[in-house]
Amino acid sequence: MFSFAAPWVFLLLPLPFLVYRLAPPYREKSSSIRIPFFRHVAQAAGVEPKSGSVIPRRARFQAATIALIWLLLVAAMARPEKLGEPLVIEKSARDVVLALDISGSMDQRDFTTTDGAPKQRLAAVKDVLRQFIAERQGDRMALIIFGTRAFVQAPFTEDLNSLNGFLDQTQVGMAGPNTALGDAIGLGIRTFDSSEVDQRLMIVLSDGADTSSRMTPVNAAAIAAEKGVVIYTIGVGDPDASGEDRVDLDALKDIADRTGGEYFFADDEEALADTYARIDELNPRVVETQSYRPRESLAHYPLALALLTMLVTMTGQLVIQRRRGAA
């Protein structure tokens, strides 16, 4: 499709004609020589003397050439352009933070696969998370790992393959043996400071009770609610265990309730997969659609044609003048 970016420029087309009609003509005085036998000279030359100024007139070819050059210049100023086919870009309006507990208890092999085989907790969580991440195409996601301390393993990115790569590098105990649940939530809130979208979702997976946080999970959840961060919590530990190995289900429920999220408990790989599917159902992806048409400027074509026309005209005039001089 062909169009002009500034079609109003064509209003300038009649400008030279208006100047020609309304502006006074240019006058130039030149010295003359008086001779007493002027009439005899005029008769000899076969010219009839007339009074008044002499106004040189352009040939029709010259006037047409000037008009064509002006038309081409105005067309170039109107910025002709070629419009391509519309391109639609979908941009997710949701940011997701995954907070993963990798404390020492995640090394236990009390998870069962679909065929009933025992599996390490963290390995089972990784397998389910890979599928969950793969289905988030278009979302920005970040990964936080926590044990005794909380760390940002991967900042917000749309490159989900690299996010899975960071997930594969995660090992049990690399952040310490204890559980800093409150600090992990606080770090997730700070991670959202760079987010400019309205839908902010945090998924927290833990298998133990908070024992080493500088900020309590309840206070962290209250701040998250003020910041508009919805937290979904998943418990994967043993609620009947003792000490730090006991998953604090009440704390996970309280965190989810305070932020408008939900709490889930998963004791095997299938239940964990169902949990992530349920979270996806509760938070349908919000997409911002942007469309644009690529534009290719064509202004150089009328400019080049105007320059070529001017050069050809000037060359033609020089050739004619030389032939007349030679004759």
Side-chain angles (χ1 to χ4, degrees):
M1 182 179 176
F2 177 80
S3 68
F4 291 94
W8 56 268
V9 175
F10 284 107
L11 295 175
L12 299 176
L13 276 177
L15 182 61
F17 177 76
L18 294 176
V19 173
Y20 175 77
R21 298 292 297 178
L22 301 179
Y26 173 72
R27 299 178 183 272
E28 181 181 359
K29 293 182 179 181
S30 59
S31 302
S32 61
I33 301 176
R34 287 179 170 271
I35 55 177
F37 44 87
F38 175 73
R39 293 186 178 274
H40 297 287
V41 173
Q43 290 178 358
V47 178
E48 182 180 356
K50 294 182 180 179
S51 61
S53 60
V54 177
I55 302 177
R57 297 184 179 276
R58 295 187 179 91
R60 291 183 178 180
F61 173 75
Q62 291 177 322
T65 301
I66 293 174
L68 176 60
I69 293 175
W70 175 247
L71 174 62
L72 292 172
L73 291 177
V74 171
M77 289 188 292
R79 292 161 52 194
E81 55 189 15
K82 179 182 178 182
L83 299 180
E85 294 297 326
L87 299 178
V88 178
I89 299 177
E90 291 186 351
K91 182 180 179 182
S92 177
R94 178 176 66 182
D95 284 346
V96 182
V97 168
L98 299 174
L100 178 60
D101 185 351
I102 57 170
S103 58
S105 55
M106 288 292 286
D107 194 33
Q108 296 189 26
R109 294 181 170 271
D110 55 358
F111 258 58
T112 56
T113 61
T114 54
D115 57 0
K119 195 172 187 178
Q120 183 197 47
R121 286 181 186 175
L122 183 59
V125 169
K126 283 183 178 181
D127 290 342
V128 176
L129 270 181
R130 289 190 193 97
Q131 182 63 29
F132 180 78
I133 292 172
E135 295 174 355
R136 304 280 78 72
Q137 291 295 332
D139 286 349
R140 289 203 320 161
M141 301 188 73
L143 176 63
I144 291 177
I145 58 174
F146 64 97
T148 306
R149 293 290 182 266
F151 302 94
V152 176
Q153 180 78 337
F156 276 123
T157 179
E158 294 181 5
D159 186 357
L160 302 185
N161 290 329
S162 67
L163 189 67
N164 271 323
F166 284 112
L167 180 64
D168 292 338
Q169 297 173 11
T170 303
Q171 301 296 329
V172 173
M174 63 185 297
N178 302 322
T179 303
L181 179 58
D183 289 351
I185 296 174
L187 182 58
I189 295 172
R190 289 197 297 272
T191 304
F192 278 116
D193 288 342
S194 63
S195 175
E196 298 179 353
V197 300
D198 294 330
Q199 192 177 17
R200 303 176 178 185
L201 176 65
M202 186 187 305
I203 302 175
V204 178
L205 186 144
S206 178
D207 72 338
D210 185 271
T211 56
S212 61
S213 290
R214 289 167 291 181
M215 176 187 296
T216 65
V218 174
N219 291 339
I223 297 174
E226 293 177 0
K227 298 283 188 178
V229 178
V230 179
I231 301 178
Y232 286 81
T233 57
I234 304 174
V236 296
D238 184 1
D240 298 325
S242 60
E244 191 172 328
D245 292 336
R246 182 185 66 86
V247 60
D248 192 348
L249 301 184
D250 293 334
L252 295 177
K253 291 178 182 178
D254 192 20
I255 292 170
D257 292 340
R258 287 176 181 270
T259 61
E262 286 196 19
Y263 155 78
F264 301 92
F265 179 76
D267 56 357
D268 58 32
E269 194 174 59
E270 184 177 358
L272 185 60
D274 292 340
T275 296
Y276 279 107
R278 177 59 178 162
I279 292 175
D280 200 34
E281 292 176 3
L282 294 172
N283 289 271
R285 182 185 174 202
V286 179
V287 176
E288 293 179 352
T289 301
Q290 298 177 346
S291 62
Y292 76 98
R293 305 186 72 165
R295 301 171 182 267
E296 179 185 356
S297 177
L298 303 177
H300 55 284
Y301 288 109
L303 284 176
L305 187 57
L307 178 61
L308 179 63
T309 303
M310 184 174 61
L311 292 175
V312 170
T313 303
M314 293 177 63
T315 303
Q317 289 179 343
L318 289 175
V319 171
I320 293 174
Q321 289 177 1
R322 288 185 177 181
R323 287 182 178 179
R324 288 177 178 177

